[in-house]
Amino acid sequence: MKTFSYITFLATLTIFISTSTVRSCPASDRAALLAFKAALHEPYLGIFNSWTGTDCCHNWYGVSCDMETKRVADINLRGESEDPIFQKAGRSGYMTGSISPSVCKLERLSSLTISDWKGISGPIPACITSLPFLRIIDLIGNRISGEIPADIGRLVRMTVLNIADNLVTGRIPRSLTNLSSLMHLDLRNNRIWGPLPLDFGRLRMLSRALLSRNYISGTIPDSISKIYRLADLDLSLNKLSGEIPASLGKMAVLATLNLDSNKLSGKIPVSLFNSAIGNLNLSKNSFQGYLPDVFGPRSYFTVLDLSYNNFRGPIPKSLSQASFIGHMDLSHNRLCGRIPAGPPFDHLEASSFAYNACLCGKPLGACQ
């Protein structure tokens, strides 16, 4: 009887140990997380206080595990959050340190979000491109430097790459256009230089491409027009030159096109004025010539900003045939002649027409 009880006890203990092992994260994942934590310093909120015990899959702040594999799948640490820990402290987050390469040992990692901590510096670990399941990299709002890993294109499952508001330098890697699943690309407000890849159009799943406030040069690749899902393209505040590809005006869902504050020149493609684009900002470039008189019922603009260029001649009368124009700015050009009457001109202020060659009529002074 005692033998039977002892065997039963061993069997029960074995099942308990096996179950506990399966339910908790592997020791290797726990060690990788602790090494990741050791490279960071968060002095105000205590977000790492919960990172204790052997099971990193339960109650470790910002850590989630895959239910089947019990491996760490997500690190979600946001410095701007409505989480009670922020409300209790009455402040946003601040963290210094760097992203440890130990994160690359989390072999099943699917998303890495370390955003808006303001003080995290150092490079993006190059080894991050060895994580085959990685879908999201969100590092916005830090002081991350160095270059985008050259072989970033290995992350074929990647859907979101957001490194905006950092100090990232270097060129856009050629391999980036291998990210065939990428939907959201945000590189705004960094120090990225060099041209856009000519085959940028290979990013066929892309819906938002935000690359403003960098030092990107060269021309706008015509291949962008092949991204049939692209709705938002922001290349403003760069050093782009040359002409706008006419094919951009033929894109089915492109709604926002911001190209302001570059060195673009030539004539604006007629296709842009009768397209799906409703927010068009081409200000602060070197466009010239007459504004095309091609506006019509398909022209619908919440914003149409053509200021600070070298346009000359009259304001197109067909603008009055547009189905809607909310804000329009034609200031700081060389336009001349009478401002047409009626909408949209009757709700625009004088500042929309200021600093031109010889415009007259409401809302400016009367024509002589």
Side-chain angles (χ1 to χ4, degrees):
M1 191 70 174
K2 289 183 179 180
T3 303
F4 177 78
S5 299
Y6 180 68
I7 293 172
T8 303
F9 169 75
L10 283 180
T12 303
L13 182 63
T14 301
I15 292 171
F16 174 77
I17 293 172
S18 175
T19 303
S20 299
T21 303
V22 170
R23 289 190 61 188
S24 63
C25 69
S28 58
D29 280 14
R30 178 178 178 274
L33 286 173
L34 291 177
F36 167 80
K37 169 190 170 183
L40 297 168
H41 177 58
E42 192 282 297
Y44 301 113
L45 302 173
I47 65 165
F48 292 124
N49 291 348
S50 63
W51 287 30
T52 59
T54 58
D55 189 1
C56 60
C57 286
H58 295 86
N59 301 320
W60 282 39
Y61 183 88
V63 177
S64 303
C65 295
D66 182 88
M67 294 185 65
E68 293 183 4
T69 64
K70 309 304 175 185
R71 302 293 302 274
V72 173
D74 305 294
I75 296 176
N76 186 9
L77 301 174
R78 299 181 184 273
E80 303 283 348
S81 174
E82 297 182 0
D83 190 278
I85 195 171
F86 291 85
Q87 295 179 354
K88 184 177 180 181
R91 60 165 297 145
S92 60
Y94 181 77
M95 193 186 304
T96 57
S98 60
I99 301 174
S100 170
S102 64
V103 76
C104 304
K105 296 179 181 179
L106 300 171
E107 298 170 352
R108 302 287 300 194
L109 195 65
S110 175
S111 69
L112 177 64
T113 298
I114 313 169
S115 62
D116 295 312
W117 292 101
K118 308 173 187 67
I120 297 175
S121 58
I124 301 170
C127 60
I128 207 167
T129 62
S130 67
L131 296 174
F133 298 96
L134 199 57
R135 297 177 183 272
I136 297 172
I137 296 178
D138 186 352
L139 307 177
I140 186 175
N142 291 290
R143 294 186 60 80
I144 292 168
S145 58
E147 300 185 5
I148 301 171
D151 55 350
I152 190 80
R154 293 174 61 189
L155 300 174
V156 293
R157 288 183 169 88
M158 182 75 65
T159 59
V160 174
L161 177 59
N162 186 354
I163 57 172
D165 299 332
N166 279 287
L167 302 172
V168 176
T169 59
R171 294 172 176 257
I172 297 174
R174 293 179 62 183
S175 73
L176 184 135
T177 59
N178 293 332
L179 300 177
S180 56
S181 299
L182 193 65
M183 298 179 183
H184 181 96
L185 175 65
D186 194 346
L187 309 180
R188 289 174 296 170
N189 197 23
N190 278 286
R191 299 175 179 178
I192 296 168
W193 54 274
L196 291 169
L198 291 177
D199 59 348
F200 199 85
R202 292 180 63 204
L203 300 171
R204 297 296 176 87
M205 300 298 289
L206 203 61
S207 62
R208 302 190 78 198
L210 311 176
L211 295 91
S212 63
R213 293 185 182 273
N214 281 287
Y215 301 97
I216 298 171
S217 58
T219 59
I220 300 172
D222 185 69
S223 67
I224 289 179
S225 62
K226 298 179 181 178
I227 310 176
Y228 63 93
R229 295 172 181 259
L230 191 63
D232 190 349
L233 177 60
D234 189 350
L235 298 172
S236 61
L237 293 148
N238 279 290
K239 295 185 176 182
L240 293 166
S241 58
E243 299 186 355
I244 301 175
S247 56
L248 295 189
K250 300 175 183 178
M251 298 178 67
V253 297
L254 184 63
T256 298
L257 179 60
N258 289 332
L259 300 177
D260 56 288
S261 303
N262 279 285
K263 298 179 180 180
L264 298 168
S265 59
K267 295 182 178 180
I268 298 178
V270 171
S271 59
L272 296 185
F273 297 122
N274 286 284
S275 66
I277 299 171
N279 187 330
L280 180 62
N281 191 342
L282 305 180
S283 64
K284 298 180 181 177
N285 280 286
S286 298
F287 296 114
Q288 56 192 7
Y290 289 83
L291 289 174
D293 197 11
V294 294
F295 295 86
R298 291 191 60 196
S299 306
Y300 186 104
F301 293 100
T302 55
V303 174
L304 177 60
D305 194 341
L306 306 177
S307 62
Y308 290 92
N309 280 287
N310 294 311
F311 295 117
R312 57 191 175 88
I315 295 174
K317 292 182 179 180
S318 62
L319 273 167
S320 61
Q321 300 175 25
S323 59
F324 178 78
I325 295 181
H327 170 77
M328 182 172 70
D329 193 345
L330 302 177
S331 66
H332 296 270
N333 280 287
R334 299 165 57 195
L335 299 171
C336 191
R338 183 184 295 274
I339 298 173
F345 305 100
D346 52 6
H347 73 262
L348 297 173
E349 297 182 359
S351 58
S352 295
F353 306 99
Y355 299 101
N356 273 285
C358 50
L359 286 177
C360 60
K362 291 183 178 181
L364 298 180
C367 298
Q368 300 299 322

